[in-house]
Amino acid sequence: MTKEIYSCFENYEFFGEFFADIDCNSGRFSGKIKYSPENGLQLEYCLSDNGAPSSCDRLFGILNNGKLCTLVGPFDFESGTHHHGKVLVKSGLHGFYYLLIDSFVEKHETVKLTHFTFNGMQEFIHPQGSTNQLKYQLEPILTTNGNNWELEVENTATHSMVGDNLINLIDSNDQEAKEKLELALKKIKNDHPQSSLYLRKSLKYAFKYKSEFKLNAEKTIDEITKIAGLFSILLSCPKFPEEMFFYFDDNKKQGVHVLNSICLEHRTIRLAQKEISHQMMPLNWKQLDMKIVLSRWFDLYDDFQVISVSHQYETGFRTLHYTYSDIILYSTQLEAINKDLGGESKEKYAKPIEMYASIDLKLKLETIFKKINKHELGSNISTLRNELAHVGIPKNMMKKLSIEDYMEIGHVLKLIVVAHLLKKLDISKDNINQYQNRLIS
C-alpha cells in the first residue's frame, strides 16, 4: 500500500480544472470536489464556456495538488442553477459515484489488481495491544480462491528511521547483555555502512484481490463491497473499504487511489469506528477457517445480500416502524430457511429456531411470549407476523407487546437467520452459539 491514504471516513476537498475530453482544451471549467462519509462525493462547479458538456458519463481533472483524477458520474449540468446575464453561467453541486486519483482512466479500462483495507480488521485478526509480538512476514498470511478470483491477506507496516540510535530504545536488567547488544549493533553498522535501521511503528492487514474477468472499477468496488458485507456480519459491525488502490491492465505501472461515494448515516459511521476488543468480538480470525469462509461467501452472497446490507448499514437505532419491519423480514427468511432444511409447512418457524437458536436465545423469546400466553414459539411468531403484515386481522398480540419486546424479537430472529448463514460458511455450532450469546443483549 502507498504511504498516502485517502480514507472513506475522512473529509476531503480538491480544487481543480475539469473536462470531458482529454484531447480537447475547450470546454474546461473550474470546480471543487467535496467528499465526506455522510454526503459522499460532490462536485461544486461553475460553467461559462459554451464548449463545456451539458452531460457526460465521466470527467477528467487536474487538481491543485498536481494530481490527475477521473470522476465517474453520470453528470447532467442542465439540472443545476442557470444565471442569464451577459454570459450564461451554469452552477451547482453535483453528486457522482466514485473518484479515481492519480490517473485519467477511460471507460474501457479494467482493473487487474486491487489492494484495500477495512476499518477495525486489526483487532479482529490479532489484539492491537500485542502486535509487537508478531513478526512481519512478506508472504501472505492467507490465500484463497474461487471461480475466477483470488484473494490474499497480507501484512502492511509503517516504520520510522532510528539509525544508530536503536540501542537507546532497548534496555536490560543485565548490563553485560546490554553491552554485547551494543557491540553487535556497532559491528552490523560497520559491516553494512550503507544500511539503514528502522523501527516498526504499526502492523496492519491489507487485502489483495484479482479477478480473471475483466472488471471495470465499478464492478471491482461491488466485489470489495461483498467482502465488506461478510466482515460486517462476522463482527456484527459496519465494515467498509477504508482505503482502495486499483491497478489497471493498460500497462499503467502506477496504482490509482479510489474514493467511493458511500453516503452513510452518522450513527453508522459511529458504529463502524467504535473500538471493540479482540476478546469481546462475537467471533475472531483464529476461531474460523477464513480460507473456507471467504471462498464460500462469494457463492452464498446473492441469497444473503439482504442480511449483509442490514449489517453493513446498521445504525443501532430503532423506531417502532423499524422493529415491525425487522420482524416481518426475518420471520419471512425463517420460512425460506425451513424449506432449505426440508421442514414441513407447519414447522416454518419452529424448525429453524430448534435448529439454530442457542439455549439463551430460545429463553429470550420464551420469556417475552410467556407474558402473553403459553403457546409454542413457532405459533406465536406466526401470529405476530400475520398481525403485523395483514390488514383486517385483530391485533390482539400486538397490543400486548412493548417496543422493547418488538426490538428483542426482531433481534433474536435476525441472529437465527445469521446462524443459518454461519453454518453454510462451515462455522462450528459452538462458535455460532458464542456469536449469538455475545450479541443477545
Side-chain angles (χ1 to χ4, degrees), residues 62-128:
I62 301 173
L63 304 178
N64 59 339
N65 58 11
K67 294 182 180 294
L68 308 180
C69 74
T70 306
L71 293 68
V72 179
F75 296 93
D76 178 10
F77 296 110
E78 296 299 329
S79 62
T81 301
H82 292 199
H83 298 278
H84 294 273
K86 292 183 178 180
V87 177
L88 173 62
V89 176
K90 303 174 186 177
S91 62
L93 194 65
H94 204 302
F96 57 102
Y97 294 147
Y98 56 91
L99 171 68
L100 305 169
I101 304 173
D102 284 334
S103 182
F104 294 153
V105 179
E106 299 280 9
K107 187 175 182 179
H108 68 272
E109 296 182 40
T110 55
V111 179
K112 181 178 181 181
L113 176 71
T114 175
H115 287 191
F116 54 93
T117 62
F118 291 126
N119 57 297
M121 287 301 297
Q122 161 65 60
E123 196 68 16
F124 172 69
I125 296 176
H126 189 87
Q128 180 70 45

Side-chain angles (χ1 to χ4, degrees), residues 219-266:
K219 293 294 184 182
T220 303
I221 292 172
D222 289 343
E223 293 300 292
I224 295 172
T225 301
K226 290 180 183 179
I227 302 171
L230 170 64
F231 287 112
S232 297
I233 295 170
L234 294 178
L235 280 71
S236 190
C237 179
K239 296 294 160 194
F240 295 92
E242 188 168 15
E243 178 189 5
M244 291 189 288
F245 205 67
F246 289 0
Y247 291 86
F248 289 86
D249 65 356
D250 63 343
N251 297 319
K252 290 181 179 177
K253 295 181 180 180
Q254 296 296 324
V256 176
H257 289 281
V258 184
L259 266 178
N260 187 30
S261 193
I262 50 179
C263 299
L264 301 177
E265 289 191 30
H266 178 71

